[in-house]
Every structure is written in structure tokens, then in C-alpha cells.
Amino acid sequence: MKENDNTAVLLIHCPDKAGILAAVTEFINQHKGNILYLDQYVNREEKVFFMRVEWDLTAFQIPKEKIEEYFQTLLAIRYDMNFRLYFADTKPRMAIFVSKMSHCLYDLLARYASGEWRVEIPLVISNHPDMKPVAERFGIEYHYIPITKENKEEQEAKQLELLKEHNITFCVLARYMQILSPQLISNYPNKIINIHHSFLPAFAGAKPYHAAHERGVKIIGATSHYVTGELDAGPIIEQDVTHISHKDTVDELIKKGRDLEKIVLSHAVEKHIDRKILTYKNRTIVFQ
Amino acid sequence: MKENDNTAVLLIHCPDKAGILAAVTEFINQHKGNILYLDQYVNREEKVFFMRVEWDLTAFQIPKEKIEEYFQTLLAIRYDMNFRLYFADTKPRMAIFVSKMSHCLYDLLARYASGEWRVEIPLVISNHPDMKPVAERFGIEYHYIPITKENKEEQEAKQLELLKEHNITFCVLARYMQILSPQLISNYPNKIINIHHSFLPAFAGAKPYHAAHERGVKIIGATSHYVTGELDAGPIIEQDVTHISHKDTVDELIKKGRDLEKIVLSHAVEKHIDRKILTYKNRTIVFQ
Amino acid sequence: MKENDNTAVLLIHCPDKAGILAAVTEFINQHKGNILYLDQYVNREEKVFFMRVEWDLTAFQIPKEKIEEYFQTLLAIRYDMNFRLYFADTKPRMAIFVSKMSHCLYDLLARYASGEWRVEIPLVISNHPDMKPVAERFGIEYHYIPITKENKEEQEAKQLELLKEHNITFCVLARYMQILSPQLISNYPNKIINIHHSFLPAFAGAKPYHAAHERGVKIIGATSHYVTGELDAGPIIEQDVTHISHKDTVDELIKKGRDLEKIVLSHAVEKHIDRKILTYKNRTIVFQ
Amino acid sequence: MKENDNTAVLLIHCPDKAGILAAVTEFINQHKGNILYLDQYVNREEKVFFMRVEWDLTAFQIPKEKIEEYFQTLLAIRYDMNFRLYFADTKPRMAIFVSKMSHCLYDLLARYASGEWRVEIPLVISNHPDMKPVAERFGIEYHYIPITKENKEEQEAKQLELLKEHNITFCVLARYMQILSPQLISNYPNKIINIHHSFLPAFAGAKPYHAAHERGVKIIGATSHYVTGELDAGPIIEQDVTHISHKDTVDELIKKGRDLEKIVLSHAVEKHIDRKILTYKNRTIVFQ
């Protein structure tokens, strides 16, 4: 089936008040928009309203380039809304960062190549040359930018330049074994997705499978999250786990973990591409 | 079906050498024992051999009361074995410690009352009076022993006396909201099973569901483990998790967690009753 | 925490049209109702709108006994709605049917006794005397009504009389090993919840664990569903599974299955009690 | 880490008798073989013994080419054993059959390309031309062999010829949408692995996601199994499931199912490559 790409998505959060849901749906309905998906959530403790609505623009009477302004004027001001508007035909542009492991990279590129996602992936950046053949297999630019303590600042500047050149809207760290500097992160707030190979907050930092084996846990996990200044502490998007036993060596944990990592990362990337995620106070709201 | 209770179980660990498995199985076979279950595991890194074997004693030629001595003389010395011998018709005797929550207590007592487990449960101990009606429902002694900072030592002495009086072989903390003193623990090394309401090592200590909510995790878990001197850090027996979403409040996490807690605790207790667990260097080997 | 029981729940389905969601929320808001939970779903293929909304009645300006009439007049007619209105302080009344197994019965009664559910359970009905002590433990009437081919009709008439006498609003078959007649079922359409010990539609009918073992599956499951005239074919409410291996005998499947069965059944019962389920064309919509 | 490829694997089944385990381990030990993995299982109901043992050949005193003969003479005859002997340095040779979907194919080839498996994949066979670019990306021969009712026999003869030419030892149907003829299957008994997109035995045959949606199940699954003459009824190797809700359309089931399918298929293939599977009476024993 051909998916409809003449749609708009609104992501909204604002103080909870009576009537917001009605006001937003009426805004769309009365101008002949056809609502395709609607999911809302009210955080009762903090009295905040969150909403994602996607509607068909085919018969919508407000021109695309005017929707933001109209929504701002007619609704956002009245309800003190924080909102973002996206169009399905404007594809996000994604850069992949990778080091030496291929499993996440392959999973991302296979989905991309098969047309599963509405995204553009113009480049792969790596601190190692190893994954170049993989990127080339899929016809994607590969930039080898080795990083040492000494050259980190200038190499990150190069990375940033590449990201700007290619109009990258979000980054995916597909087992990229370097800690990004606060400067780089600040350019992509809640727009850098990392996969960490543990069920965070357990085993943050280096060598989580070794730590899991040492601790003798009976499950291992993987966590995708947005990168913030604090290591492995950003808003969690998705987690999954698998059962292990005393028989599993560290190598077997690493192997079992690979399948978790790639699926958990790809699911997070997909939700980001589909504009289904809002972040609020270091947590994510993931709409359906 | 009636389960065979004329069986013996051997739990063994020793330095790994060629021939141990053959020697043990031959010891049983040549004296007309019929092996029912056998599970072994070799830790290759540390070169340690672990084994559980259960056999039918019906035709076994060594009298029950002599098996330990014979095994010691003929095998344990030769292979430098650490072993324990159990008989299915000698039921372990279990004490339950509880505070104010009933879900784990009910799950344990329902299995006990239905005859699902080869165990005796002569008493329930609590620092609150609330669960007395539940214990009474199942005809089990309930000892209310309130604990304050000031009286902790003497009250634990009372608890210990009760455990000795009733020949308790292991204890189960079914959401018992008190930290046991090192003295009490030292009387039951690897014989006190606790349920912690998180996927340890994440969220050790108090209020893990609050901490999980605050951190914005997408899974919550429960962990059963043997109690050691270090809080929530003993050998893990079993863990399980369930997926949650941003919509779940702390109260909903608490509610969803209850089902995890009771099942994870009861599974750990069952394995302990069936003598399927060995501990080694703060990890468990859980035989099948 | 004390849960608010001065709330109303509306379950609605109707042909999908623009404006329904807005109309319903406005109906509540403008009369000073405070919406606590709202979940809606549109079946795009069949163009049907489904909704559950729960609101606080404390300041609601329409008297409780008038809400149904007002809603009917002002909204249901206009949108061709099929709706049901419930009040949290009107507890559903549940009868449990059981045969010889205790695990589901204990799980239901433990939750009931602990006050976890807003429900009344005035009686247990069984075709065997075995579970009488369990019901008595919880102070609940137990009716032993043995059933043979010959007496089935009159015995079911007795059952029905008991249900009417006790104003039972829904029934739970907690491993009740009798097939209900169409007459009995027709008295409680989508109001009899069964637990079947397989992941339906696999292994419908008798002895599913034996069939699962014979087929050599690697997972077993449990399915809770509403009872209809066709055996094991009614609308599914909840399912869960657990992994097994070639080592598991039929007895071990039965044992592992018990924990699945009791949790899956109790979760279905809870959703029914909380008025979170709508059935439509032999499927359930389970609101959050 | 470099894996040891100078090892031998024995897969054995035979009538259960005392002493088999001891006899096999002694055979290896006394000739200076170092056992790396050992897993055994006794089917008590049918009194059959199953075993997998892998040992290091470095110091083994029986030459590789004589092991089979010696084992046959010294042990297999005595215990009426059915056994197979494999060497890690003799890689199985695998053919992939595919139609139009890429997800399983990519997952298999990515693992192959990364060196994760000890296998050779010399060719991909398809009844459609669509996946040719994917195979080419990985430098693997692609044979487009369209199949109609009329030409099926001769086209399968071509397939068989290709398999023989390339010394293929087992085949993987990676969402190959054709039913193999009994003749083709008889050439590879328990050596053709299929992935079926349901939790068999539920929804065998065509369009299982449509059937699952129609039935209103709350979980969907995937099943890898050996192909036999009876459709979707061969020995099951691995199964997994994921939870769904009433909100999921058929298209969403198809999408969610893809990740299940590829992981479940790849895990089955891995176990086959590692010689961890025995089949017995239409069931698999999957060793650890």
C-alpha cells in the first residue's frame, strides 16, 4: 500500500485546561481536515496536557504555509501551548555515527534501503574506517573522522560542519564509542538518539555486559535515549530485555545483546521519524 | 499425578577436571540408582564444575543414612568437591516475613495450601498486625513483632528464637519492610530470599517505583535474591520485567509491579525448595 | 491512597464523523465535569468511533440520575451512538465458577479480599465440592451443583436462579470444566469471562497442554475471552505466553501454565470491573 | 575474540540406559579431548537419551578421520546409538530462498557479512527478480527462477541442480512464497528452515496477519521450523511473539511482525549452523 504523505502532524503540550482537546479537533474539523490519528495524555500530577494529532491535508482549507501562523494565533496563544508542526512530505534528514560494530548500522540501512521509513540518510560518520564497506554497499557517503583526546575539538567541528552541510535534522549513534561534547549536543537538543547496551539506569557507562555478568543478573537489556550532557542519563525512548542464565559468558551476553540493541534502536528511530515523541522534564511521551 | 518423594538430590561444585561427570553418574548407576534429572555446568573462565543430580532411591543399594559418608569417601575427597545431599522426603521448613502488603503472602500461601510445594510453613512473622487475618485464613501462626530503632536487637533475638524453635531452614521476605541485621543474616547464609521491586541493580533501596517513574524508564521489574550483608546486593535468583508507558503513574507502577513481585518471588522460593540453586561468588547457578 | 469513587464512565461507539470527540468532551466540560481519563480509537476501515471517558462528578451540574437521559437526548441521537453509562460507586457483582483447581480462584479472591478491586463477589459455584474450603477461607458462599449429561438443564436452571437472586452482573469461569449451554450464555452476553489454557486460536478445546507438547511448540499461552455460543471462539480480552523447551513434560507445562492463567484471567476481570472493555464484531476494544 | 574452530560436535540419541553419559564422556576424556560444551536430555516418557557434546581436538589422540569409525565401533553399536559427527572447520553451506520481501534476507546477509556465523552462503534463489540488488550488495549469486503451476516441476529441478552444484547442505526460506514439492523436500530432510509469520499451529497457511486481525488476538508471533511434506507442520525450532492491541491494523501487524520474523529465523539458522538441533518425532531438541 502507498502511504498518504499529504498529512500534517501537530505535537502539543500546554497547561491542562478544559476544552483544549475540543478546540484542537474543531480547528482541524471545521477547516475540512480529516483526522487520521489522535493520541492525547494528561499528566494529572503536573497538570500538563500532551497531544499528537495527524490529519489529511487533501481538503484542508488553510494553506500549508499558513497553518502554523493560524494555529499560533487562534489556539496556541489562548492555551499557552508549546507546539511543533510537521508535514509528512518533509522528510527528516538523519546522520548515522558508528564505530566498529555493524549490527545496528545494517539494521538501520536495511530499513532505509527497503523504503520502510520516510527519511533521508545522506551520510555516515565514524571514528574508525571499518564500516566504510557497509556504507558503500548502500551507496552512502562515509566520513572517517578519527578522534583522539588532542584533536577532539577540531574533529567535532568537522562533524558539525558536515551535519550542517547536509541539513541533518537528527543524529543516530549506532554504537558510536565516543562521548559527544556538550557543544555538539547543544546543536541537536533531543535530536541525537543513542543506544546503550543495558537496561538503564543499571550499568551506565563502559562495558555494561561485563558489569551485568559480574553482578549475576538474569536479564540483560538495551535502552535507546536522547543524548544530553549527562552520560547515559537522557530521556529514555524505548527499552527491551532478554532472559539469560548463569551459563552465558560475557561473549554470549554481547551476542544476545546485539539483537536487542538493533531492534530497540531502530524502533526509537522510527518513532522519531514519525514525529511521535515529545520530551518533557527528561522523560519522553511516546504517542501511538 | 503423585510425585516420587523417595529421591536424593546432590548439589556439587569443585575444580573442573576430566572425569567428574562420569564418576558421579557411575557412583549412582553402579549402586542401582535411577537418575531422574541431571544438569551440569562448567564455568570455563574460573574452571569450576557445577552439577545437580536427582535419582530414585527405590533400588539404591547404599542406605540413605550412609550415602553422604560413601560419597564423601569415594568421590568428594578425590575431586575436592563441595557438596550437599538432600532427600525429597525431608521437607525444608520455611518462615515468611511480611509487613503490610498481602499479594506475595497470598501467592505463597495459596501454593502451599494447594500442595504445590514440598515444604512446611509453620509461621509468619511481621512487624505489623495487618496480615494476621491472612495467615489465620490458612491456619498458620502469626507473630507480631513490632520493630523500632530502639528495640531492634531484642526483637530480632525473639525472631531468631522463633525460627530455631520451629526448625526453620530458610526464610522468605515477602515485602518485609525492615533491613535485617548482619547477625540475623549470618544465621541463614544464602537461606533468606527477598523480593525487591525493581530490576536490580537499578533502583536499589527505598521507593524504587518512585525512582523508576522519576527516571522515565519504559520497563519496570522485580528481582528475587538471597539476602547478604549488603542491601539489595545478594545473589540474584530470578528477575522479570513488564513494559510500561508514560501514561503510568507511580500508583499504576505499584499495581503492575505487584504481579511481577509475587510471581518472581514464588518462582525463586520454588527453586530453593526443589534444591535447584547453588551460589558461587555472589552469583547463582539455577539448575533445570 | 483512597481512590475517587464519585466518577462516571461512558463507553461509546458510533459511526465515525467529525466532531464527536469535541461534542462529548464539551458535554462534560460545560457542565463542570472534570475529565480524569479519556481514550478513543477510530476503526478507519469500518469507520467506527470508540471512546471511553471517565470524569469526576463532584462539581458536575447534571444530577447522576439524569445524565443518561441528557446524554441520550443531547448527543446519542445526533451521532447515532451506542453507549453505556456506569458509576464507580455502583460495584459490579461477580460470580465465580470453578471446578477442582485452586490457582485462579485464589488469585481472584486474594485481590478481592485485599480490596484491590471495586467489585462484590457474593458466591462461588462449582460442579465439584473440592474448592469449598477455599471459598470458606474467604467467607464466600459456595454452591456445589454437580452436572451430568442427564441433569445439565435443570442444574443450569439452578445456577441461573442463584445468579439472579444475587443480582450477579458478570461471571468468571476460573478453570470451570463444563461447557455452558447457549441458554445460560444468552443471559450474560459478553458478561462471562473464561480463561483458556492456550494461546487461542491454537489448541482450542480439551487438553491444550497435551496438544502443545505433542506439537512441540516452544511457547505456551493463556487466553481470557468472553464466552459465546462457539467454544473458545469469543472475543479475546488478554493473552500472554511463556517460553518452554523440549525438556518440559506435559506436567511441567501444566505447572508453568498455571501462573499465566491466573494472571491473564485476573487482568481481564480487572478491565471488565473497570469498564474498560467494549466488544465489537467478536473483537474487544480494551481502553487504557 | 577468535573462536576455536578445531573442535568436534557429536549429536546422539539412543534408548536410555544407565551409563551412556559416562561412556561418552570417558571416550572423549581418555583420548585427551577437552570437553567444551555438554548438554543432555532424557525423554523419560519414551525412554530416549539425547546428547550434544563439543570438544577441543587439539590434543585428541584419535585422528579426525578415524573418530567416526572408532565411535561407531566402541560406543554406537553397544548403545544402539543414532549419531552424527561434525567438525567446526567444515562449514555448512547454505542457500537462501526469497521472494519479494527484504527484511529476513538482509538480517541473514548482514550476519554473514559480519562474520558472525561459521557458514558459507554461495547463492540466493528467488521466484522474483526484486531482491537481486540486495544479493548483489553482498556479492552473492542471485538466481531468478520464476515458478508457475505449469513449469514448477522443471524449475524445481533447476533449483535442485543449483543446490547440488554448490554443495548446499541446508536451505533457508526467507519468506519464500512458494510451497516446495515433496521431491525437493525429500532431498533435504530436516535441512530446510522456514519462517512462518504466526505462532503456529495458529494461523497456518496463507495470510496469517489478516487471520490474526480478523480473530482479534492480542499477540502475534513468528515460528521457524523445518519443512516437511505437510504445510507449516514440521518440527518447530523457535517461536517468539509480540503484544498488539485493537488499534493495530493489518498493515501494522505486518510491520511489527517483520522484526519478529527476521530475529526468529536468524536464531533458528544460527542453531542449525552450530549443530545444536536434533529432531525426533516431529519435535526438536535444541541444545544449549
Side-chain angles (χ1 to χ4, degrees), chain A residues 114-130:
Chain A
S114 71
E116 198 174 318
W117 287 342
R118 272 187 198 153
V119 71
E120 295 295 342
I121 306 183
L123 85 162
V124 174
I125 291 173
S126 180
N127 58 334
H128 292 284
D130 308 56

Side-chain angles (χ1 to χ4, degrees), chain D residues 219-248:
Chain D
I219 52 175
I220 56 168
T223 304
S224 54
H225 63 93
Y226 287 118
V227 173
T228 60
E230 196 181 338
L231 184 65
D232 296 332
I236 292 171
I237 302 168
E238 180 148 332
Q239 302 188 283
D240 206 0
V241 302
T242 197
H243 287 263
I244 58 164
S245 87
H246 59 270
K247 299 200 176 180
D248 289 299

